[in-house]
């Protein structure tokens, strides 16, 4: 099964992707994580991506299409995959079509912009293991330290309020048109993001069966 998770930044795509991954035993592929890894490894791709990401802009299509193409050609994708954060533009969706990738379902997680502002501005992530916290909704036991690995929890550069606003603007302008793109193919299923992760998960799993 080849799945796409659509939705604004902070809609909870990553969390749902991990849950579906455990459920269906297919890899969750996050272009955002791959790009952050490239940056911390100082690769050429990382160098190209950094300034776009830090300012809340999208990384150019040809850069992300290339890394995505490489990733889905790996052995572990033979039985399918979950795309989290790709495609984010119509040309990226067209690139999947050109590659001959058949998409079974597109799950769009809808969350209002104000909610996203609250979620992302309070988000903290562990530098070491990537675990995610929220200063109000899901604080770690020790301030600034990860419950799982005791690594330092930090605010992502792009989670500063001005950058979040820019990410949302870019989302509405460039990514939201994908809803129409996939609605036409009959693959789109809309899930209303809930306050509690488990409630969103229940809807996502139902969407998978639909
Ligand atoms: P979020 O969904 O919370 O915005 P991601 O981790 O998915 O976060 O992405 C972080 C950043 O990485 C994006 O703001 C963008 O700059 C870049 N990025 C990730 N995926 C793509 C993509 N498919 N196309 C262009 N840029 C991307
Ligand atoms: Zn950690």
């Amino acid at each position: 099964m080849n799945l796409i998770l659509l939705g604004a930044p902070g809609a909870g795509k990553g969390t749902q992707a991990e849950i579906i991954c455990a459920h269906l035993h297919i890899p969750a592929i996050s272009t955002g994580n791959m790009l952050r890894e490239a940056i911390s490894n100082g690769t050429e791709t990382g160098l190209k991506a950094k300034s776009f990401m830090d300012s809340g802009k999208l990384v150019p299509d040809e850069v992300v299409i290339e890394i995505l193409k490489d990733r889905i050609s790996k052995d572990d994708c033979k039985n399918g995959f979950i795309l989290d954060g790709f495609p984010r533009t119509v040309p990226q969706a067209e690139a999947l079509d050109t590659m001959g990738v058949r998409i079974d379902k597109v799950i769009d997680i809808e969350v209002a912009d104000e909610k996203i502002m609250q979620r992302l501005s309070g988000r903290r992530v562990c530098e070491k293991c990537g675990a995610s916290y929220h200063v109000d909704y899901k604080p770690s036991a020790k301030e600034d330290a990860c419950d799982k690995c005791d690594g330092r929890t930090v605010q992502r550069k792009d989670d500063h309020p001005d950058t979040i606003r820019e990410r949302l603007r870019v989302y509405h302008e460039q990514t939201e048109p994908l809803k129409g793109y996939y609605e036409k193919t009959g693959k789109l299923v809309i899930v209303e993001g809930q306050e509690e992760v488990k409630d969103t998960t229940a809807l996502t799993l139902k969407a998978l069966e639909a």
Side-chain angles (χ1 to χ4, degrees):
M1 174 120 83
N2 297 335
L3 296 171
I4 292 175
L5 287 178
L6 267 187
K13 297 185 297 290
T15 307
Q16 294 303 316
E18 292 305 327
I19 291 164
I20 301 173
C21 162
H23 193 78
L24 296 180
H25 310 287
I26 50 177
I29 298 173
S30 157
T31 41
N33 286 346
M34 290 170 78
L35 291 166
R36 275 185 292 277
E37 204 176 298
I39 291 175
S40 67
N41 292 336
T43 67
E44 200 179 315
T45 302
L47 284 175
K48 280 188 211 152
K50 186 171 186 335
S51 61
F52 295 102
M53 290 175 76
D54 285 350
S55 60
K57 304 260 191 289
L58 293 182
V59 173
D61 286 335
E62 60 275 17
V63 177
V64 271
I65 289 169
E66 190 62 34
I67 56 173
L68 196 273
K69 208 171 176 177
D70 272 7
R71 180 62 189 87
I72 63 176
S73 68
K74 300 255 156 67
D75 256 9
D76 65 334
C77 292
K78 271 202 308 245
N79 296 322
F81 46 77
I82 308 148
L83 300 183
D84 158 22
F86 188 101
R88 255 176 159 97
T89 64
V90 169
Q92 291 178 21
E94 288 167 348
L96 282 176
D97 294 342
T98 308
M99 284 176 228
V101 174
R102 167 188 51 79
I103 298 298
D104 297 291
K105 206 157 278 182
V106 179
I107 299 178
D108 173 47
I109 305 176
E110 298 263 332
V111 176
D113 284 10
E114 311 84 75
K115 192 80 218 159
I116 286 178
M117 281 301 299
Q118 285 172 15
R119 281 192 192 174
L120 291 185
S121 56
R123 175 161 77 174
R124 298 293 181 271
V125 291
C126 171
E127 269 183 335
K128 226 156 108 188
C129 77
S132 187
Y133 300 92
H134 190 285
V135 290
D136 300 319
Y137 311 130
K138 193 191 167 199
S140 49
K142 255 193 292 168
E143 207 190 321
D144 300 337
C146 175
D147 292 346
K148 292 182 187 146
C149 76
D150 211 40
R152 199 160 65 107
T153 60
V154 295
Q155 183 168 42
R156 256 167 61 174
K157 245 197 187 137
D158 59 353
D159 280 347
H160 289 282
D162 285 346
T163 317
I164 299 170
R165 268 186 281 274
E166 177 62 8
R167 286 159 69 199
L168 281 169
R169 191 192 64 76
V170 167
Y171 166 75
H172 290 299
E173 184 185 273
Q174 303 193 50
T175 307
E176 218 170 10
L178 289 176
K179 282 197 252 173
Y181 187 92
Y182 287 115
E183 191 166 29
K184 275 191 222 128
T185 65
K187 308 288 181 193
L188 186 74
V189 190
I190 292 181
V191 163
E192 291 291 338
Q194 305 292 309
E195 290 290 321
E196 301 272 346
V197 171
K198 66 167 174 29
D199 296 331
T200 306
T201 302
L203 295 176
T204 305
L205 296 179
K206 214 165 89 192
L208 282 180
E209 281 153 26

